[in-house]
Each structure stands twice: as C-alpha cells, then as structure tokens.
Amino acid sequence: MRAIYRFSSLLALLCLAHWVSCKVVRFELDLTYEDREIAGFVRKAILSNGQLPGPTLRVKQGDDVEFVVSNLMPFATTVHFHGVMQQGTSWSDGTPGLSQQPIDSGDTFVYRWTAVDYGSSVKKPFKLITEDAAKLAAMIKAEVNTKPLMLSDWRFLTSEVIWQAEIDSGCESICSNAILFNGRGSAWYLPQERIHSLTMPGQRFALGNHTLTDTGCFPPLDSFFGPFPRDPSVLPTGFDEGCIPSHGPTEIIEVNPYSRYISRDVISMTGSATLVFSIDEHPMYVYAIDGRYVEPILVEAVIVPAGSRYSVLVELKQDGFAGKYTIGAANIGLNQIINGTAVLSYTARETKNALLFRISRKLPSQTVNQTFILNIDHDHASYRWKLGDSSFPVDYEGLQPALFNTSSIPFPHRVSTYNNTWVDIIFNLTEGRQPPHPMHKQSNKYFVIGYGNQPFTYSSVAEAMEVVPENFNFEHPQLRDTFSTPVAAGPLGTWLAIRYFVINPGPFLLHCHLQMHQSGGMALAVMDGVDAWPVVPEEYQLPVGPSPANTSPEQ
Ligand SMILES: *[C@@H]1O[C@H](CO)[C@@H](O)[C@H](O)[C@H]1NC(C)=O
Ligand SMILES: *[C@@H]1O[C@H](CO)[C@@H](O)[C@H](O)[C@H]1NC(C)=O
Ligand SMILES: *[C@@H]1O[C@H](CO)[C@@H](O)[C@H](O)[C@H]1NC(C)=O
Ligand SMILES: *[C@@H]1O[C@H](CO)[C@@H](O)[C@H](O)[C@H]1NC(C)=O
Ligand SMILES: *[C@@H]1O[C@H](CO)[C@@H](O)[C@H](O)[C@H]1NC(C)=O
Ligand SMILES: *[C@@H]1O[C@H](CO)[C@@H](O)[C@H](O)[C@H]1NC(C)=O
C-alpha cells in the first residue's frame, strides 16, 4: 500500500508548456516494478514505460489530456498529477481514498483532464531582464526548449522496507544514499574527518558529544527525533549508517553556446532533503516558481524545497566553447550532509521555434470567509506526524473515496470549504526543532500571505495583522502550490499563513511534501466547495459490487 504514495511523489514529471492549443493528447503509461540499477545499486523500482524518471509529457495550454495507466505492478496504485489543477475533473486527481479507488494490479485507468493551468493568456517576464531584442528572442527560445531537471534523494532501501523499519525501531528515516539529477548520480561518502569538519554549528549543538554517522546522517538522538521510544539496533544497514559507495552515470547537460541561454525546470522530488541548487560560474534567473511566472531574480543558488518547481534561465558564456561546469545540489537540512553533482557541458546544438503571450496579476482578498489553524507536531513517535491535531492514517487509501461519499473520511481528518469563498490556512508548529515542512495543496495555488518565527497565538490573520503587520505581505505575495514553513531550529515553533479562493469543488489533499512526513500522517483531506459538489460522470462511477471499503489495495 505504501507504493501508492511513493509513486504519487514520483509523478512530479509533468511539464506544462504555456502556448495555447486545444486538441486531445493521449499518453499511455505502463507501470512495472522491476530490478533497476540506480546510482550503481540494484533494487526494485517503479518504472514508467521502462524508465525512471518517467518520460516527459509535453502538453499545451488548452489541450485535453487522456492519460491511460496500465498497472502491471504486483500491487495497487494511482497516478497523481502534482500541481495540475484538475478544474472540473476532480475524479482524475489520482488520490486514493479521496478521488478514486486504487488501480488494482492488472487493471487500466484513464485519467481525463484539461490543461487549464496558467490562466487564459500570459505575458512572459523576460523584458524585465533585458530590452535587447536578440537576447529576448534567445530567452523565449530557451523557454520553449525548456526541459525538466529532476532532483531526488535516492534510497537503497524500498519504501516498504523503510516504513517497516520505522515501525520496528521508532526511528524516522531522515537520510538518503544519493542525490540524483534526472535519476543519475552516485552514492558517494565523505571521509569521517571531512564529515566532522563540515558539521554545522546547529548540528554540533544538537549532537552534544556524538558525531554524524559515516553517511553524514544525524544519529537517533532525542535532540532530533524527540523524546519517543526508539530501538536503533533493529535498523537495517544503510538506513542511517553503513555506507555502501557505488557509482552510477553522471547527468550531463550539453549546451550550444550560440543559443545564449538555456532553461531548465528544476523540480525537487526528494523524500527528506532540502536541496540548494547551483551551477558553477553561472548565475541564473529564476523566472517561474511552481509553474507561475515571477519577476525574474538573478541568483547564484536557489533552495528548492521538496515538491517545488523553479524554472531557471542560464546565460551561457560566450567564450566558454569547450567548458565543463559542475552542477551541484546539496542538502541544507540538519538531517544529513549529502550532495550530488551533474555537469553542464558546452558542446551540443539545440534548435526550435518561439512564441508569445500576455499576463494577468491577481491579489488576494483582504477578508476571508473561513480560517483553519492547523497545528503541526509529532504524534507520539519520531516518524508519526499530526496536521490539525490528527495524524492522517495510511489505510484511508482503501476507503470509499471521499469524492463519492463526503463523510467517508471522518473528522478530524477532513475540513470543508464552500465554493467561491476565501479560505485561510495557518500552519502552527507547536514545538521547535522541526525542519521546514514544504506544505502542498492539491488542485489550486495559494497566496503565501505571512509567516513568523514564533508559534501563532492569534485567532485569525486579521487579529495577527494588528499585532505583527510586518509579518504579512499582501502587496507581492507569492502564488504557490508548495511552500515551506519557516525552520524551527530552537525550542519554539513557527507559523505560515496561506490564503486561497475556492473555485474547484472536490476532495484534495493538503500535505507535507517530505515523503516521510506524509507517510507519517502529516496530511488532511480538504473538501473544497462542499456546497457545489461535483457530479461524477458515468464512466468514473465506482463499479457496483462488494463494499469498496473492503477492497483495500494489495501490499
Ligand atoms: C555524552 O554526554 C552524555 C550526556 O549528554 C553523557 O551521559 C555521556 O557520558 C557522554 N559520553 C561521553 C563519551 O562523553
Ligand atoms: C559534493 O561536493 C564536493 C565539493 O564540496 C565535491 O567534491 C563532491 O564531488 C560532491 N559529491 C558528489 C557526489 O557529487
Ligand atoms: C465571503 O466573504 C465575503 C466578504 O466578506 C462576503 O461578501 C461573502 O458573502 C462571503 N461568502 C459566504 C458564502 O459567506
Ligand atoms: C459514507 O461513509 C460513511 C462513513 O464511513 C458511512 O457511514 C455511510 O454509510 C457511507 N454512505 C454511503 C452512501 O455509502
Ligand atoms: C500554536 O502553538 C502554540 C505553541 O504550542 C500554542 O500555544 C498556540 O495556542 C497555538 N495556536 C493556536 C491558534 O492554536
Ligand atoms: C465554483 O466557483 C467557480 C468560480 O466562481 C465557478 O467557475 C465554478 O463553476 C463553481 N463550481 C460549481 C460546481 O458550481
């Protein structure tokens, strides 16, 4: 059953291009579970059409997508389209227990949705970088030719093994074995003295007289794992220590300097790492975040939280015709010292055409109809988490999906909103010593209106605005579908406030995008627009037969 969520997070691979079209685009995806060598180490892995990561699916704005999934794996699954709105098609959102029953082994399921994301027409932000016509044309061309660059933290143990180890030991899995670029990389470990010299002050403080393990991992201590029962002696090798160095291929991005710019959609699908991404000697313009244009900012490096997408434009050196530059991604969390590299290589040629658009910029309402303050905290174990005072059970994947029965998910695991209303969600970390939680809302994007470095002790945003107005931003709020709570390094918690307008009725999951936290229960079903609940088309009705509640997916 764990495989369902594991795969959900792997499907961060969809690239939406922003030019308008309206045709039916059909994709066929065969899912298999096979031995595969990744980072030089063979383990079972979920493959999409034989690949990992899966193929890039390119659709244009306005296209109707028909996505046919054949589950050839020995367990049930669903496919979720991270960041895709599913306007009016909540039955195609692919969340077990919320929008559909798991696709059984041997079965096929057709997801149908329209690529409405990105509004109706959009202006590109590149004029904010330059007015030079030749450079502008090169930037637009780079964007048209953009490609995904997927960052991940690969584990040599499968999620089933890890989940069982968490239950047996009481220790959350906070470390991985390799940082990968588009599925390529190596498991590479530093000598212990080097790990020691790189240990950060925050880590030293929390470690006391202990040291990081041979994989750079924070050992099972109360200062990181909380005061919960633990037995690390039953942990499998490689879980938090026991380095197994192994060599895999290196991702090489070949570029033609004559194209002047390249664009990449840097996508983080990590399970526990928060990665900082950079390219040696190449500052880059971040021009879109979570699929939305932003005013371009020139940066040396960018932090990409799990579940986020940062589109970057890189100016190529005009004198670097044969250069090779290191692309780096390093974890910035206290949980582990680990990094990975790829290569930017000046060699190949890229060719294709360009197009143009317009913009619209909305701001959040000043007033809201509903406020949910959701506390975030451990739930009696280092690997169990609560969102809104409850831990979302993994077994809900097997429930009669909430789309078909709005009371199927019991309180307090669900909250409800009304269509055409403004909603505030405030995440309140009730205790300190928590990593940033990248909070993802399925379906819609939200405005990030405020955050603070203490717990939230107010009853609403309006009340907090009177006391700490400096913690809010209503003029240039980011529009995101994933955003991290501020890190809570000290003994106190922190908070994050988001605001959104409900326009797509249906059941959508709100969850931490760190895989281990989501598995551990940091999730909540948001029943958006219960007053305008969708009518499910005939073809998506559940088959009649034995109670769906009993058909829980196979292991
Ligand atoms: C490490 O510190 C703990 C208390 O923080 C103490 O009980 C223990 O004896 C120390 N161990 C060593 C080897 O110094
Ligand atoms: C990690 O970064 C160091 C430089 O700080 C580099 O030498 C090393 O090759 C990197 N590791 C990997 C696996 O790329
Ligand atoms: C939501 O709030 C707005 C502004 O306060 C108000 O006009 C509207 O009637 C409210 N909607 C509902 C459904 O209560
Ligand atoms: C909906 O789910 C609730 C809770 O499990 C259950 O009591 C109720 O019978 C279900 N309704 C239908 C129509 O199946
Ligand atoms: C947020 O967490 C703090 C610390 O536990 C708590 O005192 C406060 O009541 C919480 N805020 C709300 C609104 O529940
Ligand atoms: C919900 O509200 C949005 C925005 O006004 C509207 O487009 C949509 O049709 C509504 N949905 C339903 C089912 O009424």
Side-chain angles (χ1 to χ4, degrees):
M1 208 192 286
R2 309 299 321 158
I4 294 172
Y5 275 143
R6 180 180 54 191
F7 190 59
S8 297
S9 70
L10 276 177
L11 254 256
L13 46 62
L14 200 85
C15 277
L16 287 183
H18 306 148
W19 51 96
V20 183
S21 159
C22 49
K23 57 176 195 296
V24 176
V25 186
R26 189 179 158 96
F27 294 111
E28 293 187 5
L29 202 69
D30 290 347
L31 301 178
T32 53
Y33 194 55
E34 297 173 56
D35 279 335
R36 183 56 54 109
E37 185 176 305
I38 306 282
F41 186 90
V42 176
R43 55 156 268 198
K44 282 264 189 296
I46 295 177
L47 307 182
S48 312
N49 293 350
Q51 289 175 236
L52 191 155
T56 302
L57 317 175
R58 285 181 174 261
V59 301
K60 295 182 180 178
Q61 191 185 348
D63 284 349
D64 286 319
V65 177
E66 207 173 88
F67 193 94
V68 186
V69 176
S70 299
N71 180 8
L72 307 175
M73 306 188 292
F75 44 75
T77 194
T78 65
V79 174
H80 170 67
F81 304 86
H82 180 96
V84 168
M85 175 129 193
Q86 300 291 356
Q87 178 70 49
T89 54
S90 54
W91 42 86
S92 288
D93 196 41
T95 309
L98 271 73
S99 58
Q100 72 169 107
Q101 286 186 297
I103 310 165
D104 277 333
S105 183
D107 283 359
T108 294
F109 190 92
V110 184
Y111 294 93
R112 288 196 178 85
W113 45 272
T114 305
V116 295
D117 296 79
Y118 224 96
S120 48
S121 56
V122 175
K123 194 166 100 191
K124 297 184 181 297
F126 305 127
K127 278 199 174 130
L128 299 168
I129 302 177
T130 182
E131 296 196 338
D132 178 315
K135 282 191 172 182
L136 269 175
M139 287 177 183
I140 289 164
K141 190 167 169 181
E143 191 203 16
V144 169
N145 294 328
T146 195
K147 294 196 177 95
L149 180 53
M150 278 179 268
L151 310 180
S152 57
D153 54 353
W154 188 251
R155 284 162 160 81
F156 289 165
L157 301 169
T158 62
S159 14
E160 287 76 9
V161 171
I162 286 173
W163 179 244
Q164 194 56 47
E166 288 189 341
I167 293 170
D168 295 345
S169 68
C171 298
E172 181 171 47
S173 166
I174 58 168
C175 294
S176 56
N177 301 94
I179 302 296
L180 307 181
F181 294 78
N182 288 339
R184 291 159 183 260
S186 296
W188 176 95
Y189 302 100
L190 293 158
Q192 196 77 40
E193 325 80 77
R194 181 93 176 110
I195 290 177
H196 200 66
S197 69
L198 287 173
T199 304
M200 295 173 272
Q203 284 170 324
R204 280 184 204 287
F205 179 78
L207 280 165
N209 54 14
H210 295 83
T211 53
L212 298 178
T213 71
D214 59 353
T215 56
C217 188
F218 203 96
L221 301 175
D222 280 8
S223 57
F224 199 101
F225 289 77
F228 308 109
R230 279 189 305 268
D231 179 9
S233 71
V234 302
L235 286 172
T237 303
F239 185 94
D240 66 337
E241 61 179 350
C243 71
I244 315 164
S246 62
H247 251 283
T250 300
E251 175 71 356
I252 297 171
I253 297 180
E254 299 197 321
V255 293
N256 170 9
Y258 292 109
S259 65
R260 290 181 92 151
Y261 292 91
I262 58 156
S263 170
R264 284 295 179 274
D265 300 316
V266 182
I267 303 171
S268 173
M269 24 196 276
T270 56
S272 55
T274 301
L275 298 174
V276 56
F277 170 86
S278 61
I279 307 176
D280 278 3
E281 294 178 46
H282 287 74
M284 53 203 158
Y285 285 101
V286 175
Y287 69 89
I289 304 179
D290 290 356
R292 292 269 153 172
Y293 288 132
V294 295
E295 265 183 46
I297 355 162
L298 190 63
V299 296
E300 298 285 337
V302 60
I303 295 171
V304 191
S308 291
R309 289 91 68 213
Y310 282 70
S311 300
V312 299
L313 199 58
V314 182
E315 183 164 7
L316 301 174
K317 291 174 186 293
Q318 294 307 295
D319 56 358
F321 295 101
K324 285 199 195 308
Y325 301 87
T326 299
I327 303 175
N331 182 38
I332 55 160
L334 297 186
N335 55 322
Q336 189 178 21
I337 293 177
I338 186 167
N339 67 328
T341 49
V343 173
L344 180 74
S345 171
Y346 280 65
T347 43
R349 291 191 166 271
E350 302 189 356
T351 45
K352 259 174 215 160
N353 314 316
L355 292 151
L356 256 185
F357 297 82
R358 315 168 46 87
I359 226 163
S360 74
R361 181 166 161 73
K362 293 198 201 95
L363 286 175
S365 159
Q366 290 291 320
T367 56
V368 288
N369 300 85
Q370 263 180 304
T371 295
F372 299 101
I373 299 177
L374 304 177
N375 289 337
I376 291 180
D377 197 353
H378 281 99
D379 186 20
H380 301 101
S382 69
Y383 64 97
R384 296 236 184 238
W385 293 89
K386 289 190 283 191
L387 176 59
D389 295 321
S390 69
S391 186
F392 198 83
V394 171
D395 334 353
Y396 282 9
E397 291 177 358
L399 283 184
Q400 182 180 19
L403 177 64
F404 300 88
N405 177 352
T406 50
S407 49
S408 157
I409 295 176
F411 294 120
H413 303 295
R414 72 166 199 263
V415 297
S416 299
T417 69
Y418 300 98
N419 201 27
N420 281 307
T421 63
W422 284 94
V423 175
D424 272 355
I425 294 177
I426 298 154
F427 302 104
N428 182 34
L429 277 62
T430 57
E431 57 172 12
R433 305 211 174 83
Q434 296 190 41
H437 299 292
M439 300 307 297
H440 175 60
K441 165 80 174 59
Q442 290 182 343
S443 179
N444 61 289
K445 303 206 190 305
Y446 51 71
F447 290 103
V448 179
I449 56 170
Y451 41 85
N453 286 319
Q454 306 85 32
F456 191 84
T457 49
Y458 316 95
S459 62
S460 65
V461 164
E463 193 185 309
M465 288 275 290
E466 285 175 17
V467 189
V468 285
E470 67 278 11
N471 285 30
F472 291 89
N473 175 0
F474 280 96
E475 272 160 36
H476 302 285
Q478 296 196 45
L479 191 60
R480 303 288 295 266
D481 57 42
T482 311
F483 197 82
S484 291
T485 59
V487 62
L492 285 184
T494 60
W495 61 270
L496 170 71
I498 63 172
R499 180 169 291 188
Y500 72 97
F501 191 60
V502 183
I503 56 165
N504 188 25
F508 298 106
L509 206 63
L510 174 70
H511 64 93
C512 179
H513 216 281
L514 293 179
Q515 177 68 52
M516 303 305 151
H517 291 186
Q518 182 182 348
S519 311
M522 201 186 296
L524 192 68
V526 181
M527 310 290 282
D528 271 330
V530 279
D531 58 324
W533 203 246
V535 177
V536 181
E538 190 80 38
E539 56 184 334
Y540 283 98
Q541 289 295 341
L542 296 179
V544 277
S547 164
N550 298 330
T551 56
S552 66
E554 292 166 37
Q555 194 63 46

